[in-house]
Amino acid sequence: MKFEISATSLVLALGLGLLLAPPAFAGGGAPANPGTYMGDFNGDGRTDVLVSNTVSRELYVYVTATGIPTTVNVFASQSALLTTLPEGASVQAVGDFNGDDRADILVQSGLNLVVLVNDASVPAGNPVALDPALTGWIGTPPAGWSVSGVGDANNDGLADTYVHNTNGTVYVYITSLTEPDYADKPRGSASLSGAPIALPDTWTVATVADMNGDGLSDFTGQAPSAGGFSTLYTFISAVGGITVDGAASGSPAGVPDGYGCCAAGLTSDAATSSSFVVMDESGGATDGLLYVFVTDATGVAVDAGASTNSVTLPTNWGVEGLADFNNDGIVDTVAVEDGSGSMIVYLNSGPGTVSATPFMTNVPTDWEVANFTGMSATTPESGSASAGTCEYNNLFSASTDCKEYSGSAWTPTTAAASCLAGSQSADPGVWSAASQCSLPASLGRCDVVFDPPGNDYSLQLGGDQPTSCTPAATGCGFITPGSGTFTPEGVCLP
């Protein structure tokens, strides 16, 4: 699957939707210049911190001073207010999208993904700024897709953008500086971009990083909690960045319930593969503890002997991210106290070794470190939303469909009996307990609601022919008159 991207017509292959024309930000004029996360905004090799005002939507960069490792503070003369976000726009990520060794900013306005480029011509020692003339455009994923992260998927020195949808499909926009009408500006490439894999629809993308040290960014999926932990699975990128090296991929670890996951980076000066950092958010005796899963050279296996506890954050403090603040090649840990806004940096010299904990700055009231979203805790599932699923051959449409028994009246026993009796077909279906439908090709879902409720179910209608979309939507309304609601997927997306 590829997102087809051109200057005039941006259409998603396989019917994933029509992409919009080049965007204009609310308010007109040149695009605004928002930012998020952390990155090297002045090109000195040290990570700087971007903060946002939750009320005014202003964005400000704290440029890290050079008194490290004994002191971390900010260069007031180089720190700067970048811009004010337009209404409804949100910052998604930071990365070097044009290869000049300075952090650029990925922002979403509507469905459009826009890159706001750092002004590399700013003289050393002056306030950081952005260059509106170089503003780029990555693409416009359809509704239901969200940004997972950025990385260099094809090892060309340019940040690429990972997005995923609610069905689990992961898509990588490969950045180019040579697309028509976008010379020297970051632009998603139609010929280079693509979808490496589809995760199960209950999984999330936990992190994007170069896990095995080959220069290509990889991504790690996280399963829902099961049996006290959630499984991680790292998909190692093949050359080109839009396919997966299945033989090299694997499951490095399981994250215990109650631990936030994940941040990744190099945790020692000898490391070539990235490690995972998780945080205990359970509220128990070890609440606030950071644990480092050190991976071996493959990036998909944990070195149990090297993995270790790191620091324990004080109460009301949270991890904002991992980044190299003192240019020693090892990621450090940024933490902020809720309420006071105090920001400190744990300077790491190894997976479990902190050499110093210097204060950086106080983030003012109504400001926050721009959204670091990678440390969400897993919790045990209270039970599946579905008693189970039944895949069966639809004799009317000659397709494989799936029925999800979602109503409260269904039990695994009654739902399995319905499936095996051939309730939707003359033939018995294939029953799977406590599961959800995730057909590889689907026209859409037909949600059927009964009054009174209880025997509700959802049908996922298989197929990849656009001519089947209208009959599927029409037929949904007649499964139970007035109760069937069709939601398009796949080739039927508008």
Side-chain angles (χ1 to χ4, degrees), residues 369-383:
V369 177
N371 306 321
F372 175 75
T373 59
M375 299 286 277
S376 56
T378 56
T379 56
E381 291 184 313
S382 59

Side-chain angles (χ1 to χ4, degrees), residues 443-487:
L443 303 175
R445 288 179 181 261
C446 180
D447 295 312
V448 180
V449 178
F450 284 79
D451 186 17
N455 292 317
D456 306 342
Y457 60 85
S458 175
L459 295 178
Q460 189 178 27
L461 307 175
D464 57 7
Q465 298 301 313
T467 54
S468 301
C469 296
T470 297
T474 302
C476 176
F478 289 98
I479 290 179
T480 304
S483 69
T485 301
F486 183 71
T487 303

Side-chain angles (χ1 to χ4, degrees), residues 256-359:
D257 288 343
Y259 273 73
C261 175
C262 293
L266 299 178
T267 55
S268 76
D269 55 7
T272 57
S273 57
S274 294
S275 300
F276 293 100
V277 177
V278 298
M279 177 178 175
D280 187 343
E281 299 176 351
S282 65
T286 59
D287 188 68
L289 173 67
L290 302 183
Y291 187 86
V292 182
F293 287 106
V294 178
T295 59
D296 65 12
T298 68
V300 298
V302 167
D303 183 339
S307 299
T308 183
N309 293 336
S310 184
V311 298
T312 297
L313 299 187
T315 302
N316 296 327
W317 287 72
V319 172
E320 296 296 336
L322 300 179
D324 183 4
F325 276 80
N326 57 349
N327 201 17
D328 65 353
I330 300 172
V331 292
D332 308 303
T333 307
V334 185
V336 173
E337 183 180 24
D338 292 341
S340 75
S342 293
M343 183 190 303
I344 59 175
V345 178
Y346 292 93
L347 295 173
N348 298 319
S349 55
T353 306
V354 175
S355 61
T357 311
F359 172 78

